[in-house]
Amino acid sequence: MQLEQNQEGATRTATASGWPVRRMPKWWFAVAAVLVLAAVAVGLAHRPTAGERASDLNGVVQTINTDMESCAAGVRESLQAMHLVQAGATGQVANGESVANQGAANCMPANNEEIDDLENYQVPESLASYRLQTAINDVISWAAPNAIDVQTDVAAVLAARGTAAEPADQVKLSAALRKLDADRAAFEAILQPAIKTLHPATKALTLPG
């Protein structure tokens, strides 16, 4: 092969076609390696402070509170309506059914932009060791499908009041409530220790069930 030197000192190799191909000088690879090592060193050198982690945690909790508030309120109102009817306010049956059906629809990510946004939320890297992304998944499962199922079953129990179908609908509701409670417990088991450690003043949304 014929070797040529250009004016800048870079080496070119002549191909079979006669056209020279530029070869990278060895010093370029050395510079690239130094830059990569420097970037890694900078990344390792910056460790988030306790204050930064506390601020990030507060942001995560505020996001959860905002995005889950309307769904949680619907569950709370649906259960309150059912308990009111069961306590003797039979004139509230139709209203209770309406509240439960509307609440179920509002917990669907397709109908609730805030829950849909929460599905795509990424917890800051500074909080990676606290497994908060898992907590986000738990609270989303609390809403969909479990909060949806609970409110749908509340509406069914109210609609079947006084009929032969009521006991079976009540059994379904009890099972749905157990699932709702399980996701709530899993969510709180991750979130509350992080709050206690990093920012005890942070108030997380209380999920009903």
Side-chain angles (χ1 to χ4, degrees):
M1 284 191 177
Q2 179 183 356
L3 298 180
E4 301 177 352
Q5 292 288 331
N6 65 6
Q7 292 180 347
E8 297 175 351
T11 303
R12 295 196 243 183
T13 302
T15 65
S17 64
W19 292 99
V21 176
R22 183 182 297 273
R23 294 174 54 191
M24 287 292 184
K26 292 181 179 180
W27 61 263
W28 189 93
F29 294 101
V31 170
V34 169
L35 291 175
V36 169
L37 290 174
V40 170
V42 170
L44 293 175
H46 179 71
R47 295 179 180 273
T49 65
E52 289 172 336
R53 284 194 295 267
S55 178
D56 287 344
L57 173 67
N58 193 55
V60 171
V61 174
Q62 291 303 317
T63 297
I64 294 172
N65 289 353
T66 299
D67 290 350
M68 294 300 300
E69 185 175 14
S70 62
C71 176
V75 175
R76 188 176 297 107
E77 291 167 6
S78 297
L79 292 172
Q80 288 173 347
M82 182 185 68
H83 294 152
L84 187 64
V85 170
Q86 291 174 336
T90 55
Q92 295 297 315
V93 171
N95 179 64
E97 285 184 59
S98 177
V99 168
N101 285 323
Q102 290 178 16
N106 189 49
C107 287
M108 297 178 182
N111 298 333
N112 190 320
E113 184 177 335
E114 292 172 332
I115 296 177
D116 186 50
D117 288 343
L118 193 61
E119 289 185 315
N120 299 310
Y121 182 76
Q122 294 295 316
V123 173
E125 290 185 7
S126 65
L127 302 173
S129 62
Y130 292 93
R131 299 174 51 238
L132 293 179
Q133 200 66 53
T134 299
I136 295 286
N137 295 337
D138 289 334
V139 79
I140 291 171
S141 294
W142 181 93
N146 294 329
I148 296 171
D149 291 343
V150 163
Q151 291 172 100
T152 300
D153 291 342
V154 165
V157 166
L158 291 173
R161 184 170 174 76
T163 72
E166 184 178 1
D169 288 335
Q170 187 66 58
V171 169
K172 284 183 62 180
L173 173 59
S174 296
L177 282 168
R178 286 194 294 272
K179 291 180 181 178
L180 195 72
D181 289 343
D183 273 332
R184 177 179 59 189
F187 166 70
E188 291 179 348
I190 296 174
L191 184 63
Q192 292 302 330
I195 290 175
K196 183 177 180 180
T197 300
L198 297 176
H199 202 298
T202 298
K203 300 298 181 183
L205 180 68
T206 301
L207 298 176

